[in-house]
Structures are given as C-alpha cells and as structure tokens.
Amino acid sequence: MHRLLLSAVAFAAIAAVPGVAAANCSSATMERAASGTRPNAQALERLNTEAQSSLERGALTEACMKFRLILSVDARNIDARLGLGEGSLSEGDYTAARAHFEAVLASASDNPIAHQGLGLAFLLGGDFAAAEPSLRSAVEHDPTLWRSWNGLAIIADERADWEAADAAFASAIAAAPQQANVHNNIGMSLMQRGEPARAVAAFDAALRFDQ
C-alpha cells in the first residue's frame, strides 16, 4: 500500500479516465488551442463552473482548456490558476503545479488553497523540507484543509515524530471524518510503529469509506 496525498477523485481520474495520460495542463498545444476562442467577461463565471466540474470528474484536458480560456480574458483569475495547478498535480507535473500556485501567491499571499497546492507539489516531488512551511501556512489560514494536515502527518512520520503525526492526523480526521485516504495513511503510520492491530482497524475504516 502507498501513501495517498490527493483527493480520491484526482487519483481515480489518472487511473480510469480515457485520455488522461495525454492531457497536459501546461502544454504549448493547449495554450495555442485555448487562444482560438475567447469568451466574453459575462461568460467567465459559467466557464469556471464548467471547468471545476470537469476537473472534479477527471476530465483534465477539458478542464484545463477551459481554465486557459478564462486566463486568455482575465490573466489574473485566481480560480483558473488554482484549477490549472490542481490539474498539474493530478497529472504528476509538479514543476508546472508549483508555477501555477506561486503565481497565485504572488498576488494573493494569504490564499490557503495556493499554499496547500504548493506544499503538495513539493511533497509529491519528494522535497519534504520545502513542503512543510507551505502546508503549515495553508492550515493556519484554513484549518479545514484535510490534505494539508494529511501531508503534515506524512512529513512527521518520515522523521518518526509520532506525536506530531497523531496530532496532524487528528486534525485531518476532524476536517474530513470519512476521507479514506487519511485512514489509509494512519494505518501506514501505525504499521511503521509496529502496531499492526491498530493499523488493521485504520485500514478497515479506509475500505469502509472508500465505497
């Protein structure tokens, strides 16, 4: 079993949606295609809603195309930039994801989703030291961000700081009690500590919620 950092939707998108492997939220091809049709300002809100829906169901090419259409009209649109960051995370392009989230933070330094996304991009890329301050900033601005707490717990696990890991996992569960990813990671943490009985209970909870 492996550690889970993103939402179940994001992982399912990569594993099961046809064409996802070819999607690229930072590709030049997509940039050129997006420049061909420009919505007027009144259409931006509707387009953003559609793009978010596409992202949630794993249609990354469609989502990123719409986010880029929004940026072609409103280059500072935070929702579109965050959406491209999330899309890049789902694709495993952590360099592109960092660029998108950093662009948001350059103009909105207190945006918790951008701090979370930047932290996850560092964490998924293996740079735990860089990830931690961004994830902490995210939960300082919004303590309901379970992915940030989950990431902080994994970082604590890596240095065998079980007390800090337990505290972060508890915060993740408080924010998202039925999030299977968190229960799975608690199980992995308990296995590291040599507590298989408690780990099995956590894995059972993960399976129960992942339905």
Side-chain angles (χ1 to χ4, degrees):
M1 302 183 75
H2 61 280
R3 294 303 183 96
L4 303 175
L5 296 170
L6 303 179
S7 68
V9 170
F11 276 104
I14 296 174
V17 176
V20 165
N24 189 330
C25 283
S26 58
S27 70
T29 299
M30 186 170 290
E31 185 79 53
R32 290 194 297 271
S35 67
T37 305
R38 295 173 180 268
N40 58 40
Q42 290 73 27
L44 291 181
E45 184 174 353
R46 174 182 55 80
L47 194 60
N48 180 63
T49 299
E50 292 175 356
Q52 296 291 346
S53 177
S54 298
L55 185 63
E56 289 173 4
R57 70 173 187 271
L60 297 184
T61 301
E62 179 182 316
C64 292
M65 181 76 74
K66 290 177 179 178
F67 286 133
R68 289 198 175 279
L69 284 172
I70 293 170
L71 290 175
S72 74
V73 173
D74 179 7
R76 296 186 177 183
N77 190 288
I78 288 176
D79 288 337
R81 189 64 69 185
L82 290 174
L84 287 172
E86 291 289 347
S88 295
L89 279 180
S90 294
E91 292 172 345
D93 188 345
Y94 307 132
T95 299
R98 290 198 304 271
H100 290 306
F101 292 126
E102 286 169 348
V104 173
L105 291 171
S107 60
S109 61
D110 61 347
N111 187 291
I113 301 300
H115 281 292
Q116 173 174 259
L118 182 59
L120 291 176
F122 279 124
L123 187 59
L124 289 163
D127 191 343
F128 285 24
E132 186 168 10
S134 291
L135 295 175
R136 290 204 179 281
S137 292
V139 296
E140 286 170 4
H141 287 98
D142 184 353
T144 69
L145 295 177
W146 72 265
R147 290 194 298 171
S148 292
W149 288 118
N150 186 50
L152 288 168
I154 290 172
I155 291 170
D157 270 350
E158 287 297 312
R159 55 177 179 248
D161 186 346
W162 311 131
E163 184 176 353
D166 285 342
F169 279 133
S171 294
I173 291 295
Q178 298 185 4
Q179 180 50 248
N181 296 1
V182 178
H183 290 281
N184 176 82
N185 288 340
I186 291 172
M188 295 296 294
S189 178
L190 291 168
M191 289 294 290
Q192 278 185 258
R193 308 178 205 185
E195 300 184 45
R198 292 180 61 202
V200 167
F203 292 140
D204 284 344
L207 291 172
R208 185 168 65 253
F209 293 129
D210 190 25
Q211 295 180 359

